């Protein structure tokens, strides 16, 4: 059975800290891994990863994929209160259109 | 930036009634999806739609569910005879191709009484 596991389930940090969120997967015919940020409503797209070892970066956020060990990490440096959200990892297969989501990591950044 | 819009934001319905959830995908996208998220649980795939037909569906998407693109802009999810366990947030998403990121709407919170 295909599955996506995220850790930790929740995290509380102080502003300025650096956090690392983890996503491991067991999905046949892997195609891509996506990171989303979910605040109160819609998951908003952050990164799409398809190749191992290539870091994607956007401001204070960065992500990398390891297709051999079947995981990805999302790093957030110099966290701000606006980073507080649930971060979702989703994995897509080469066969089919659906994405398999993890349960998410709830990040709370305290001032 | 173009976005996916969903209406209504909240729908309250009696068990056994039919509901229609509406979505307007991003205009140049060709692939459309419905997901649901039961409170406290993970986002689950329901169905994908391309070229006016279902391209993939999950086990959740049984005979009580149907999707339709009634015109050039709307994409709807119909639940025929709602059950208590259908209470969830329903997200619509769209993408330009199956290999590009899916963009989500704000969701419709469906509450079945």
């Amino acid at each position: 059975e295909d599955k996506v596991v995220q850790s930790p389930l929740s995290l509380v940090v102080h502003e300025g800290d650096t956090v690392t969120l983890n996503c491991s997967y067991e999905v046949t015919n892997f195609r891509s891994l996506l990171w989303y940020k979910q605040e109160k409503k819609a998951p908003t797209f952050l990164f799409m990863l398809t190749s191992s070892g290539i870091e994607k970066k956007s401001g204070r956020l960065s992500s990398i994929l390891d297709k051999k060990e079947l995981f990805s990490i999302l790093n957030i440096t110099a966290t701000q209160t606006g980073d507080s959200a649930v971060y979702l990892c989703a994995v897509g297969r080469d066969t089919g259109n659906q994405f398999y989501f993890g349960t998410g990591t709830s990040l709370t950044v305290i001032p | 930036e173009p976005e996916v819009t969903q209406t209504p934001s909240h729908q309250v319905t009696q068990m056994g009634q039919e509901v229609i959830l509406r979505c307007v995908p991003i205009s140049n996208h060709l692939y459309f999806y419905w997901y649901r998220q039961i409170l406290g649980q993970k986002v689950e795939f329901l169905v994908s739609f391309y070229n006016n037909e279902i391209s993939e569906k999950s086990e959740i998407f049984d005979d009580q569910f149907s999707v339709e693109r009634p015109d050039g802009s709307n994409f709807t999810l119909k639940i025929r005879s709602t059950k208590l366990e259908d209470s969830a947030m329903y997200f619509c998403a769209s993408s330009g191709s199956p290999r590009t990121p899916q963009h989500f709407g704000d969701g419709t919170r469906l509450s079945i009484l």
Side-chain angles (χ1 to χ4, degrees):
Chain A
E1 182 184 320
D2 295 323
K3 63 179 180 182
V4 178
V5 178
Q6 292 186 246
S7 64
L9 289 180
S10 65
L11 196 52
V12 180
V13 300
H14 290 278
E15 263 191 324
D17 288 350
T18 293
V19 297
T20 298
L21 310 183
N22 302 289
C23 175
S24 64
Y25 61 91
E26 290 179 28
V27 173
T28 54
N29 300 313
F30 172 89
R31 178 181 73 224
S32 59
L33 185 147
L34 275 64
W35 284 98
Y36 287 89
K37 177 182 181 183
Q38 186 178 26
E39 295 176 87
K40 291 188 178 171
K41 293 185 176 179
T44 52
F45 170 73
L46 295 175
F47 297 113
M48 180 173 181
L49 304 156
T50 56
S51 302
S52 271
I54 299 173
E55 186 184 51
K56 292 281 183 91
K57 198 169 169 65
S58 176
R60 296 176 294 102
L61 277 66
S62 64
S63 184
I64 198 160
L65 174 68
D66 186 328
K67 288 167 73 173
K68 184 179 174 188
E69 300 297 330
L70 307 183
F71 76 92
S72 173
I73 59 172
L74 175 68
N75 277 321
I76 309 174
T77 59
T79 51
Q80 302 170 358
T81 55
D83 295 328
S84 296
V86 175
Y87 289 83
L88 300 172
C89 171
V91 176
R93 296 167 59 188
D94 221 7
T95 51
N97 303 323
Q98 69 171 290
F99 279 89
Y100 297 87
F101 280 80
T103 50
T105 293
S106 176
L107 174 66
T108 302
V109 182
I110 302 170
Chain B
E1 185 177 322
E3 57 183 30
V4 176
T5 56
Q6 291 186 242
T7 54
S9 57
H10 191 190
Q11 173 85 44
V12 182
T13 301
Q14 292 286 333
M15 188 172 61
Q17 296 296 305
E18 174 183 287
V19 294
I20 297 176
L21 310 183
R22 301 179 193 281
C23 170
V24 179
I26 294 173
S27 62
N28 61 349
H29 283 182
L30 301 176
Y31 293 80
F32 315 120
Y33 314 86
W34 284 101
Y35 290 82
R36 79 171 185 193
Q37 187 175 30
I38 296 171
L39 190 63
Q41 297 186 25
K42 62 176 67 176
V43 175
E44 301 173 290
F45 171 79
L46 293 177
V47 66
S48 63
F49 191 86
Y50 169 71
N51 200 26
N52 280 321
E53 59 182 29
I54 291 172
S55 49
E56 188 178 359
K57 60 183 181 179
S58 72
E59 291 175 355
I60 303 168
F61 194 88
D62 61 23
D63 291 345
Q64 68 163 150
F65 291 92
S66 62
V67 289
E68 194 177 32
R69 188 152 164 84
D71 54 44
S73 59
N74 289 284
F75 178 51
T76 62
L77 174 69
K78 183 192 289 186
I79 309 176
R80 253 180 283 283
S81 177
T82 50
K83 300 179 282 210
L84 293 176
E85 54 265 37
D86 294 327
S87 296
M89 180 72 91
Y90 287 79
F91 290 108
C92 174
S94 69
S95 66
S97 83
R99 297 181 177 273
T100 54
Q102 296 176 12
H103 295 269
F104 285 75
D106 279 346
T108 292
R109 179 165 297 286
L110 178 63
S111 300
I112 307 299
L113 305 178

